[in-house]
Amino acid sequence: MTRRCVFTGAAPTPRGQAGRCWSTSANWHRFVGWIASDAGQHDQAAQTYQLGISAAREAGDGSPEANLIGSLAYQIANVGDAQESVALTRAALDAAGRHASPRIRALTWDRLAWAHARAGEAQPAIRALGEASAALASTAGAEEPSYLYWVSPDELQIMEARAYTELRRPLRAVPLLTEVLTRYDATHVREVALYLSWLAVALADANEPEEAAHTASRMLDMSADLTSDRTTQRARVVLARLKPYADVPEAREMLTRYPISA
């Protein structure tokens, strides 16, 4: 008889290989939680992440537990209390442990950098970015969970640029984002739109409203057919950042074209 996990919307009932069952459940909840979060269903996402954390603890597997705690912390950094996110991401580092895979350590440090950036804490954010890069540099020959395939030098560079944008350091953010976007897979429309949104904000902060408006136009055109709440919220941030430049024709055109989002 095939042994399997049974999912009922809560933690699964393990049958047979309990550890593998709970680990599978943790990863399933991570995926479902991400979908809910991107759709703007933040309470549902938080509940799903919590269920996944419980499943990962039952499995005794620090990597998915750290990833799920980090996912919850990342959501909180974006829509809630940044200091709570800092504390929660540090808990994710503890859950991962010293012997976690390089990519899970890199991802968790990256999320901590973002939480500090959202809290306006520049030096802790920069230190965390350095830890993330150092962790990822040690991946050679390491066994990595398959779901972390996307944690790459490009992704860390994007997070570095986002952190600098959040910290209002556009002279560091703009070159990083410009470089990585030249080689980023254009078929990943949601991700490209999000990264363009940070570039637009960084350009506005650098007092380059014409370029900021041009980048915002690309971002908004690209995300028009997306159903992601995240891109919708970023569009509002971009347009709000253009408002001080309403006397610049390019910025004024964008604010006229998208009055509701602004």
Side-chain angles (χ1 to χ4, degrees):
M1 182 176 66
T2 301
R3 298 185 183 278
R4 61 188 179 88
C5 296
V6 177
F7 299 104
T8 62
T13 302
R15 297 180 180 177
Q17 297 174 323
R20 182 178 297 177
C21 179
W22 287 111
S23 184
T24 299
S25 172
N27 287 321
W28 181 81
H29 282 95
R30 172 187 56 81
F31 178 70
V32 174
W34 183 91
I35 292 173
S37 185
D38 193 56
Q41 299 171 356
H42 300 124
D43 289 343
Q44 179 180 335
Q47 293 171 6
T48 304
Y49 286 142
Q50 292 284 6
L51 287 169
I53 292 165
S54 297
R57 287 174 179 165
E58 288 289 341
D61 194 340
S63 289
E65 181 182 351
N67 194 13
L68 281 151
I69 296 173
S71 296
L72 178 58
Y74 182 72
Q75 174 177 277
I76 291 171
N78 290 327
V79 302
D81 183 346
Q83 289 296 343
E84 180 184 354
S85 177
V86 168
L88 201 55
T89 312
R90 290 198 175 280
L93 283 171
D94 291 340
R98 292 186 302 170
H99 303 295
S101 74
R103 277 193 171 88
I104 194 64
R105 287 187 288 112
L107 176 60
T108 309
W109 278 111
D110 228 23
R111 286 167 168 167
L112 181 60
W114 180 242
H116 280 304
R118 290 285 289 172
E121 298 168 348
Q123 292 308 310
I126 292 169
R127 285 195 296 271
L129 289 169
E131 293 284 357
S133 295
L136 192 63
S138 64
T139 56
E143 183 176 349
E144 297 281 357
S146 60
Y147 56 81
L148 294 179
Y149 69 92
W150 59 274
V151 181
S152 66
D154 278 354
E155 293 295 337
L156 262 62
Q157 183 173 331
I158 287 166
M159 179 60 85
E160 183 180 2
R162 288 175 54 198
Y164 283 131
T165 301
E166 194 71 18
L167 293 167
R168 306 297 285 269
R169 298 190 179 192
L171 295 183
R172 293 191 180 189
V174 170
L176 290 169
L177 280 167
T178 301
E179 178 190 354
V180 76
L181 281 166
T182 61
R183 60 178 183 270
Y184 204 84
D185 188 347
T187 63
H188 296 172
V189 177
R190 174 189 174 277
E191 286 71 23
V192 173
L194 287 172
Y195 304 153
L196 285 171
S197 77
W198 273 287
L199 179 57
V201 169
L203 287 165
D205 287 344
N207 198 29
E208 294 288 349
E210 296 87 357
E211 283 300 312
H214 174 69
T215 302
S217 179
R218 289 177 58 199
M219 180 264 172
L220 291 162
D221 289 346
M222 184 174 290
S223 60
D225 295 327
L226 297 177
T227 58
S228 169
D229 179 73
R230 187 83 173 116
T231 58
T232 300
Q233 296 304 320
R234 287 301 303 170
R236 293 192 177 108
V237 170
V238 168
L239 290 163
R241 193 64 190 86
L242 288 176
K243 280 186 175 181
Y245 298 103
D247 59 334
V248 177
E250 292 84 352
R252 185 167 60 248
E253 178 187 356
M254 291 302 302
L255 294 169
T256 302
R257 284 171 57 192
Y258 298 95
I260 297 177
S261 295

